[in-house]
Amino acid sequence: MTNIWQTLSCIDVNKHTEKKQGMTYLSWAWAWGIVKDSYPNASFDKHQFDGPNGKRPYMIDEHGFAFVMVTVRIEDEEQTEILPVLKGNKPVQNPNSFDINTALQRCMVKCLAYFGLGHYIYAGEDLPPEDDNDTTQVQTVAVEKQDPPSQQSPAPSEPPKEMTREQLDEKHDRGVWQDMKSRLRQMKHVNNVHTLFESMKPKIQDIKQRNPEAAQQIVKLFLDAEDKLTTGE
């Protein structure tokens, strides 16, 4: 994901986010517009599932909780994400149409984070990695957080250092690991673990090609979660 990641991961999305109940959400309309500006052929699918009255854009687990699935394609890359339908931070049983629509848009935005757009938010960072093409926005935000200037002349600042490909990959892999750890911790049934693992297989394989150890750590999260839910410990 070299060119796509380098293009999207350095974009500052902070002006297009909002916080709700301690969580940060990125505007799906703005995010998709930015992607289409750079990749006009990008597309996404909202997956359909069998229901009692035909196809529907969400699935229900054995406890009645709902999940949605979205796949985004950019050039020759594809990412699929499964997201629980939430109200605030709580999963929803018997969701209404508004709940489903909101979850689908958030799921699409999270797919875009796997391509790099807004990924730093999920990784717990305040700003994207610095890049020669995006230093103006990053520096402006940094200046706004500084204390008022004193009477003394400010010391000259060093130019921002561009992250290497290896550093970007490491940050991406760490973010995936953190995301999987958080989501697996909330799961109540082993079937949900299996479903998530199936959707993550392509991404884990991509990580394995460049960093087998990182991929192994992610797989271990799934094995530990499966073991815990199976044994009930």
Side-chain angles (χ1 to χ4, degrees):
M1 197 184 296
T2 54
N3 293 332
I4 300 174
W5 179 267
Q6 289 175 350
T7 298
L8 297 180
S9 65
C10 294
I11 296 176
D12 188 347
V13 306
N14 288 344
K15 292 182 180 180
H16 305 279
T17 62
E18 60 177 324
K19 286 188 177 292
K20 293 182 180 180
Q21 298 183 343
M23 300 181 69
T24 302
Y25 296 101
L26 175 62
S27 164
W28 71 266
W30 180 86
W32 187 244
I34 286 295
V35 170
K36 292 291 282 187
D37 284 343
S38 298
Y39 304 98
N41 294 325
S43 63
F44 64 87
D45 288 327
K46 298 176 180 179
H47 293 261
Q48 299 285 317
F49 303 90
D50 292 327
N53 299 314
K55 295 290 185 179
R56 59 189 182 187
Y58 62 97
M59 53 183 162
I60 299 290
D61 67 12
E62 63 277 9
H63 302 294
F65 293 105
F67 298 80
V68 297
M69 181 186 296
V70 174
T71 295
V72 174
R73 285 173 296 277
I74 302 179
E75 293 187 338
D76 59 347
E77 303 281 350
E78 182 177 292
Q79 300 290 347
T80 297
E81 175 68 0
I82 298 175
L83 197 69
V85 180
L86 304 173
K87 278 188 177 179
N89 297 330
K90 297 183 179 297
V92 174
Q93 294 174 305
N94 301 317
N96 60 37
S97 57
F98 181 83
D99 298 330
I100 295 298
N101 181 67
T102 300
L104 284 167
Q105 308 299 18
R106 290 175 178 171
C107 191
M108 185 263 284
V109 170
K110 197 160 187 180
C111 275
L112 297 181
Y114 287 132
F115 286 102
L117 185 66
H119 175 269
Y120 65 92
I121 294 176
Y122 295 94
E125 305 292 341
D126 294 325
L127 293 170
E130 295 173 346
D131 181 83
D132 289 341
N133 296 325
D134 197 38
T135 53
T136 301
Q137 286 184 304
V138 174
Q139 289 174 347
T140 299
V141 176
V143 169
E144 291 175 351
K145 293 183 178 180
Q146 292 177 351
D147 295 329
S150 63
Q151 298 298 323
Q152 298 178 349
S153 299
S157 59
E158 296 182 357
K161 295 181 180 179
E162 182 179 0
M163 295 184 73
T164 65
R165 178 70 263 165
E166 290 75 16
Q167 289 173 323
L168 287 172
D169 286 340
E170 181 181 355
K171 185 173 182 178
H172 169 267
D173 298 346
R174 185 171 66 252
V176 173
W177 184 88
Q178 291 173 336
D179 181 40
M180 292 301 101
K181 181 179 180 181
S182 175
R183 293 172 62 182
L184 289 167
R185 187 186 297 124
Q186 300 176 29
M187 290 188 173
K188 304 299 182 182
H189 197 279
V190 69
N191 288 346
N192 298 337
V193 176
H194 295 164
T195 300
L196 179 59
F197 181 73
E198 287 300 317
S199 72
M200 288 296 297
K201 273 185 176 179
K203 178 174 291 297
I204 294 173
Q205 187 62 33
D206 287 342
I207 295 174
K208 184 178 180 180
Q209 291 178 359
R210 65 171 181 271
N211 191 340
E213 183 177 353
Q216 185 176 7
Q217 291 175 352
I218 295 172
V219 171
K220 186 176 185 301
L221 290 176
F222 284 92
L223 294 175
D224 290 345
E226 181 182 42
D227 183 63
K228 181 178 180 181
L229 291 172
T230 301
T231 59
E233 295 181 356

